[in-house]
């Protein structure tokens, strides 16, 4: 890192140290989800495993919990449960990334880590910042040990992108296939359609534009964070599109994230089929996958969203931090759909197992793991709640219900138009689900992940319950007795 970068790092260390007290005593601080040491976090970046060590980099604005200039922060772990913060490896210290080290990915080859990212530059002046006034530079940094990072190499600049694109091009995801490397970049075209750019290389440094991956009809104006990957023998293109019209059961958030199945060989022309949303909750964006050393496809996403009002009212801001990542999820292909389920490593964090009977409220720890089997013929512990087939209330604040057709996740204390309560102004999210056999809820102080049917449908949501409302209630004629574990209990 150059002198300008080192100076920034010194300031970051000071900011992190100064924020510690506030962050540590925040009741909504997370116990097993990755959150920023100080300030703001967004996308997961550079996910990989090298020599047994998992690396999670992330978009990091350490000076302000409401965001700002972007750096990469870095966490490492050997087991996906004990994480160590490893500082800031990338700072905006060059001309070509001076307005921010934006998102990117990692490729491991011969024990070397190749990190690709977008160097964001915003020029000063009277520009629209769409077709003028910005640079999107694609940059490479290598690391042999995962701790020290080499010089930045500028690979692609505005001149290397096709003429029918605006200057919104970013988030390189790189992978190897046969004797080649491929890079996908997300983009916004001049006709205001989102699309992905595919590049090819033999040496990871010289890249040639191959083709565009998109759909015939406009599907949003910008595609961020593309990810082209193969799992279960099938190829998928994941992305975070912006500008999709909101529907009753789809695209309920300002922006969404989902995937197309890739029909045909992406190198020769292919069709993108059946876009499916990854997640139906309030907070999910910019997911990234990687293959770990045991061959699993794992996914981590930002459990948050850009450009929403909550980013100014989330209660953790007062404590000096904002946002978190989801837990790592194993991705499994099933009939062209991708199921997501928490990595089994997390089960090591479970405390003593407890049975939960339908209709009987229990105390739940701030972090817990709950599994409720569902039986449409009527559960053993059926409670007499009228009209309710399945209802799970968490901390008296958040309720998940299912009526046999539609699942609804709602904040029980929401007041229309007011950013108060456990949801800070959010109300409900809905999904059509024709059958439920099981619901698993992984809750961590202020972040909840609900997995229906082993990850067929998932809801990820931040919530901010009061400390004295830690009741959990499973009800409904379909609910059977469940099991509950406290997570991450402090040992005496
Ligand atoms: C997605 C995103 C990326 C960009 C990064 C900047 O949330 O907008 O497209 O690289 O965040 O932090």
């Amino acid at each position: 890192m150059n002198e300008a970068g080192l100076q920034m790092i010194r300031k970051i260390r000071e900011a992190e140290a100064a924020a510690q007290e506030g962050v540590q005593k925040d009741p909504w601080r997370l116990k097993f989800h990755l959150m920023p040491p100080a300030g703001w976090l967004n996308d997961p970046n550079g996910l990989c495993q090298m020599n047994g060590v998992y690396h999670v980099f992330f978009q990091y604005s350490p000076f302000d919990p409401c965001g700002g200039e972007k750096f990469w922060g870095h966490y490492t772990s050997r087991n996906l449960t004990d994480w160590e913060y490893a500082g800031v490896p990338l700072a905006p210290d060059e001309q070509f990334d001076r307005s921010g080290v934006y998102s990117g990915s990692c490729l491991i080859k011969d024990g070397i880590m190749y990190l690709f990212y977008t160097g964001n530059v915003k020029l000063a002046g009277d520009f629209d910042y769409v077709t003028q006034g910005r640079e999107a530079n694609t940059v490479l940094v290598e690391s042999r040990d995962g701790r020290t990072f080499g010089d930045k190499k500028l690979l692609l600049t505005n001149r290397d992108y096709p003429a029918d694109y605006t200057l919104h091009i970013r988030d390189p995801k790189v992978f190897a296939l046969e004797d080649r490397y491929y890079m996908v970049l997300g983009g916004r075209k001049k006709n205001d359609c989102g699309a992905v750019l595919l590049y090819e290389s033999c040496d990871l440094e010289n890249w040639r534009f191959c083709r565009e991956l998109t759909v015939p009809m406009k599907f949003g104006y910008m595609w961020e964070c593309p990810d082209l990957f193969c799992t279960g023998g099938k190829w998928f293109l994941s992305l975070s599109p912006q500008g999709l019209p909101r529907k009753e059961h789809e695209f309920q958030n300002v922006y969404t994230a989902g995937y197309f199945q890739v029909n045909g060989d992406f190198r020769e022309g292919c069709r993108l089929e059946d876009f499916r949303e990854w997640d139906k909750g309030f907070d999910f964006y910019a997911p990234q996958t990687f293959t770990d050393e045991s061959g699993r496809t794992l996914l981590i996403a930002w459990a948050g969203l850009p450009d929403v009002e909550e980013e100014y009212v989330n209660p953790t801001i007062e404590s000096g931090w904002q946002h978190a990542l989801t837990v790592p999820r194993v991705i499994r292909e099933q009939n062209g759909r991708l199921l997501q389920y928490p990595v089994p490593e997390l089960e090591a964090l479970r405390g003593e197992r407890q049975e939960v009977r339908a209709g009987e409220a229990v105390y739940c720890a701030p972090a817990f793991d709950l599994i409720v089997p569902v039986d449409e013929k009527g559960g053993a512990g059926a409670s007499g709640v009228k009209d309710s087939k399945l209802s799970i209330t968490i901390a008296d604040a958040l309720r998940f219900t299912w009526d046999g057709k539609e699942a609804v996740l709602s904040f029980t204390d929401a007041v229309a138009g007011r950013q108060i309560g456990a949801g800070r102004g959010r109300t409900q999210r809905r999904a059509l689900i024709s059958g439920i056999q099981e619901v698993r809820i992984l809750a961590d102080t202020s972040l909840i992940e609900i997995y229906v049917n082993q990850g067929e449908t998932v809801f990820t949501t931040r919530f901010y319950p009061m400390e004295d409302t830690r009741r959990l209630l499973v009800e409904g004629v379909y609910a059977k007795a469940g099991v509950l574990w406290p997570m991450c209990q402090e040992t005496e």
Side-chain angles (χ1 to χ4, degrees):
M1 196 175 286
N2 64 28
E3 192 42 48
L6 293 172
Q7 247 180 50
M8 293 181 207
I9 301 297
R10 283 192 284 275
K11 286 209 180 108
I12 291 175
R13 292 215 183 99
E14 282 167 28
E16 287 172 347
Q20 272 328 288
E21 205 192 326
V23 173
Q24 291 304 324
K25 63 173 196 244
D26 185 355
W28 287 305
R29 187 166 60 93
L30 298 162
K31 293 173 184 287
F32 61 95
H33 286 84
L34 292 176
M35 54 178 267
W40 162 284
L41 162 154
N42 57 296
D43 313 357
N45 293 153
L47 305 180
C48 62
Q49 188 183 20
M50 186 166 90
N51 303 326
V53 179
Y54 287 98
H55 295 264
V56 170
F57 300 88
F58 59 93
Q59 286 288 285
Y60 187 25
S61 295
F63 301 115
D64 185 345
C66 291
E69 204 170 38
K70 298 293 162 68
F71 296 74
W72 275 29
H74 185 194
Y75 280 107
T76 63
S77 172
R78 289 196 163 268
N79 57 10
L80 297 175
T81 55
D82 301 304
W83 292 95
E84 209 171 297
Y85 175 57
V88 169
L90 301 178
D93 56 3
E94 294 285 354
Q95 282 304 314
F96 53 71
D97 63 11
R98 63 182 185 274
S99 314
V101 179
Y102 270 20
S103 284
S105 61
C106 175
L107 178 120
I108 309 276
K109 185 179 80 109
D110 302 332
I112 301 177
M113 202 182 243
Y114 295 85
L115 299 173
F116 297 85
Y117 72 88
T118 299
N120 183 45
V121 176
K122 267 181 125 177
L123 306 173
D126 184 19
F127 297 116
D128 70 358
Y129 295 107
V130 178
T131 58
Q132 339 137 326
R134 65 191 310 146
E135 292 172 19
N137 298 306
T138 304
V139 185
L140 166 64
V141 175
E142 293 169 33
S143 173
R144 289 176 178 268
D145 55 10
R147 284 193 304 273
T148 51
F149 297 82
D151 291 341
K152 296 174 176 176
K153 287 182 200 151
L154 181 57
L155 303 179
L156 299 170
T157 69
N158 286 4
R159 280 194 305 278
D160 301 304
Y161 308 125
D164 55 342
Y165 276 73
T166 69
L167 301 176
H168 280 290
I169 292 180
R170 55 181 165 266
D171 310 334
K173 176 86 195 301
V174 174
F175 58 95
L177 179 65
E178 292 166 1
D179 57 348
R180 291 284 151 85
Y181 301 102
Y182 295 91
M183 176 194 291
V184 279
L185 285 162
R188 172 174 180 170
K189 301 191 68 172
K190 285 185 178 153
N191 64 5
D192 240 9
C193 291
V196 160
L197 303 165
L198 177 73
Y199 284 76
E200 176 188 73
S201 169
C202 296
D203 58 6
L204 293 171
E205 291 199 16
N206 296 289
W207 293 88
R208 188 182 68 85
F209 176 67
C210 298
R211 64 177 57 252
E212 172 182 286
L213 303 178
T214 192
V215 285
M217 300 283 283
K218 176 170 176 158
F219 191 72
Y221 59 81
M222 169 70 193
W223 288 4
E224 292 193 318
C225 301
D227 187 355
L228 186 57
F229 63 97
C230 182
T231 194
K234 297 196 174 100
W235 283 86
F236 295 90
L237 176 66
S238 167
L239 38 98
S240 296
Q242 302 187 326
L244 299 180
R246 194 186 160 124
K247 296 187 183 168
E248 194 179 351
H249 293 103
E250 281 188 295
F251 318 142
Q252 298 163 90
N253 292 333
V254 58
Y255 307 136
T256 191
Y259 59 87
F260 294 103
Q261 193 178 335
V262 178
N263 186 343
D265 189 330
F266 70 85
R267 294 169 292 190
E268 287 159 15
C270 55
R271 268 210 327 271
L272 305 178
E273 315 251 29
D274 301 333
F275 184 82
R276 286 182 199 281
E277 284 184 290
W278 281 112
D279 198 283
K280 295 293 192 180
F282 292 92
D283 297 289
F284 186 94
Y285 197 65
Q288 187 176 95
T289 68
F290 70 108
T291 308
D292 77 354
E293 289 177 343
S294 66
R296 298 184 294 184
T297 304
L298 302 183
L299 174 145
I300 297 178
W302 172 23
L305 279 173
D307 303 338
V308 289
E309 286 166 20
E310 297 86 57
E311 70 190 56
Y312 303 102
V313 298
N314 279 335
T316 64
I317 295 169
E318 280 169 40
S319 304
W321 69 284
Q322 181 164 210
H323 291 312
L325 301 179
T326 65
V327 294
R329 301 173 177 178
V330 181
I331 301 302
R332 187 161 56 88
E333 187 274 332
Q334 195 179 68
N335 305 322
R337 288 184 68 164
L338 296 175
L339 274 53
Q340 311 164 62
Y341 209 58
V343 289
E345 283 90 331
L346 292 170
E347 291 162 27
L349 301 175
R350 287 173 173 169
E352 201 178 321
R353 177 193 159 110
Q354 181 191 343
E355 196 160 296
V356 179
R357 287 216 294 274
E360 286 180 20
V362 292
Y363 166 82
C364 58
F368 66 85
D369 192 354
L370 169 77
I371 296 184
V372 178
V374 179
D375 184 350
E376 289 183 47
K377 292 187 215 79
S383 76
V385 186
K386 239 179 153 194
D387 297 332
S388 173
K389 304 275 168 61
L390 175 69
S391 164
I392 305 175
T393 309
I394 303 117
D396 293 326
L398 192 59
R399 184 168 294 142
F400 176 81
T401 60
W402 182 59
D403 64 3
K405 293 190 288 290
E406 186 191 46
V408 182
L409 179 66
S410 42
F411 284 100
T412 58
D413 60 358
V415 180
R418 296 192 54 202
Q419 289 170 335
I420 55 168
R424 285 301 185 272
R426 287 101 62 89
T427 52
Q428 56 175 230
R429 288 291 176 264
R430 302 154 72 177
L432 292 174
I433 303 181
S434 54
I436 296 189
Q437 296 85 49
E438 188 193 273
V439 177
R440 177 170 175 194
I441 299 184
L442 198 54
D444 182 358
T445 317
S446 60
L447 205 177
I448 195 154
E449 300 182 34
I450 302 178
Y451 296 86
V452 177
N453 296 343
Q454 302 270 318
E456 273 175 18
T457 308
V458 186
F459 297 78
T460 302
T461 290
R462 297 302 302 277
F463 80 134
Y464 307 97
M466 303 306 290
E467 268 181 282
D468 53 355
T469 57
R470 287 281 169 197
R471 262 164 28 109
L472 175 76
L473 181 59
V474 177
E475 300 168 282
V477 289
Y478 288 174
K480 290 170 67 175
V483 267
L484 174 69
W485 296 265
M487 295 281 276
C488 305
Q489 275 175 315
E490 259 95 83
T491 43
E492 258 129 75

